[in-house]
Amino acid sequence: MGRWDTAQIADQTGRTFVVTGANSGLGAVAARALTKAGATVVLACRDVTKGEKVAADLGERASVRRLDLADLASVRAFAAELDTPVDVLINNAGVMAVPLRRTADGFEMQIGTNHLGHFALTGLLLPRITGRVVTVSSGAHRAGKIDLADLNWEHRSYQRWSAYGQSKLANLLFNRELQRRLTAAGSPVLAVAAHPGYAATELQSHTETFLDGLMSVGNRIFAQSAEMGALPELYAATAADAKPGGYYGPTGFGGTRGYPGPSGSTAAAKDDVVARQLWELSEQLTGVPVLSAY
């Protein structure tokens, strides 16, 4: 597919995008590229102050609304107050390898933020979404395992990296099941997933261990820029040839860097039985029914 970059984003004038976690990193880069292409972008951010600084640089087509994915009340409030149709939702926000913490609703923080918060947000906005739902996963899904009996680490000994892998695998299973249900419902909306490879962002600085320092060095030496890391999600959100249920990421050096293209995933990420079971459990936990008839 060649070297796809932001210069190939078609004119997005008149289209509205919601980007979660757009106050920094990949989300801020994606918002910048989309507004440059003519789109109206809603920066959905937990840190509104940071979000407003980003929006100020993007111009009048960028606005900021508070969204805390670790609090379902905030997710519901955001969806209720968003009074516009949405062409594309980009589920970009995330946390990585944090110590054991709980969301406002008692979920383990990584599955709660990375998956359940976005699951609820997607479900609440879906009646207004006309184009695509893009969900950002990670190569770390390869180390993930979905434990349906203990999704929130209430009985197991907490392992932060295993919890991160589980949440990123959940992202891909959600994307797969969402596309299946959209197709069954006869909806033209596409579900597309992406991952950034190894990109230098603030995501790697919140483990609260010595790893923060090591990953900071790794970001400077090995990682590609956030601008490159955001390309796969921008491709998934705007490219005419993005496939329903597709998964895109960097195509160079083991999928860690380079320009975007189709990305491989594990057999666990294609398990339709677990995808359906996770979907049903997510509906129960969040209280948000999403295309339940399918």
Side-chain angles (χ1 to χ4, degrees):
M1 57 184 284
R3 292 162 58 100
W4 190 95
D5 60 20
T6 56
Q8 297 178 58
I9 297 177
D11 182 13
Q12 300 296 311
T13 299
R15 306 189 78 213
T16 298
F17 292 70
V18 173
V19 184
T20 68
N23 56 280
S24 65
L26 304 178
V29 171
R32 184 178 306 114
L34 292 167
T35 54
K36 186 176 180 181
T40 296
V41 181
V42 178
L43 285 68
C45 308
R46 182 176 61 83
D47 191 327
V48 173
T49 300
K50 284 186 177 180
E52 288 176 341
K53 290 179 180 178
V54 173
D57 292 334
L58 302 185
E60 62 183 11
R61 289 194 308 276
S63 62
V64 180
R65 292 182 183 248
R66 186 177 187 278
L67 172 66
D68 184 352
L69 290 161
D71 184 348
L72 290 178
S74 175
V75 175
R76 290 181 181 276
F78 175 89
E81 294 166 6
L82 189 66
D83 54 359
T84 180
V86 176
D87 291 280
V88 179
L89 168 64
I90 302 181
N91 291 322
N92 163 84
V95 293
M96 183 180 78
V98 296
L100 178 59
R101 293 198 179 98
R102 302 270 167 204
T103 70
D105 303 278
F107 308 140
E108 183 274 317
M109 185 61 71
Q110 297 188 81
I111 196 72
T113 301
N114 299 350
H115 169 60
L116 292 171
H118 280 131
F119 179 91
L121 178 66
T122 301
L124 293 167
L125 292 184
L126 197 55
R128 279 176 276 165
I129 296 174
T130 60
R132 301 182 188 183
V133 176
V134 175
T135 301
V136 178
S137 183
S138 165
H141 86 274
R142 295 179 178 280
K145 179 182 178 182
I146 302 295
D147 189 331
L148 293 165
D150 190 21
L151 193 70
N152 285 296
W153 296 83
E154 295 168 314
H155 307 295
R156 292 175 285 169
S157 175
Y158 182 68
Q159 303 291 329
R160 65 179 73 206
W161 286 104
S162 295
Y164 181 62
Q166 176 181 243
S167 73
K168 294 288 99 181
L169 176 57
N171 289 152
L172 288 183
L173 290 169
F174 167 64
N175 180 70
R176 186 175 182 86
E177 181 67 4
L178 177 59
Q179 184 60 65
R180 188 192 70 78
R181 291 178 183 240
L182 287 167
T183 300
S187 171
V189 175
L190 300 186
V192 190
H195 76 90
Y198 183 9
T201 69
E202 293 181 7
L203 184 67
Q204 294 97 339
S205 63
H206 299 291
T207 69
E208 299 180 23
T209 69
F210 71 94
L211 291 173
D212 288 348
L214 289 179
M215 287 190 286
S216 177
V217 173
N219 279 356
R220 293 195 296 271
I221 298 174
F222 301 111
Q224 64 178 353
S225 67
E227 285 70 21
M228 288 295 294
L231 289 180
E233 66 186 81
L234 286 166
Y235 180 89
T238 66
D241 56 353
K243 305 298 183 184
Y247 182 38
Y248 299 92
T251 54
F253 199 64
T256 62
R257 59 193 306 114
Y259 292 91
S263 181
S265 60
T266 61
K270 302 180 181 74
D271 189 324
D272 290 329
V273 173
V274 174
R276 181 185 286 273
Q277 292 172 334
L278 176 63
W279 185 283
E280 293 170 351
L281 178 58
S282 299
E283 287 189 329
Q284 294 170 19
L285 291 172
T286 63
V288 178
V290 187
L291 294 171
S292 295
Y294 302 93

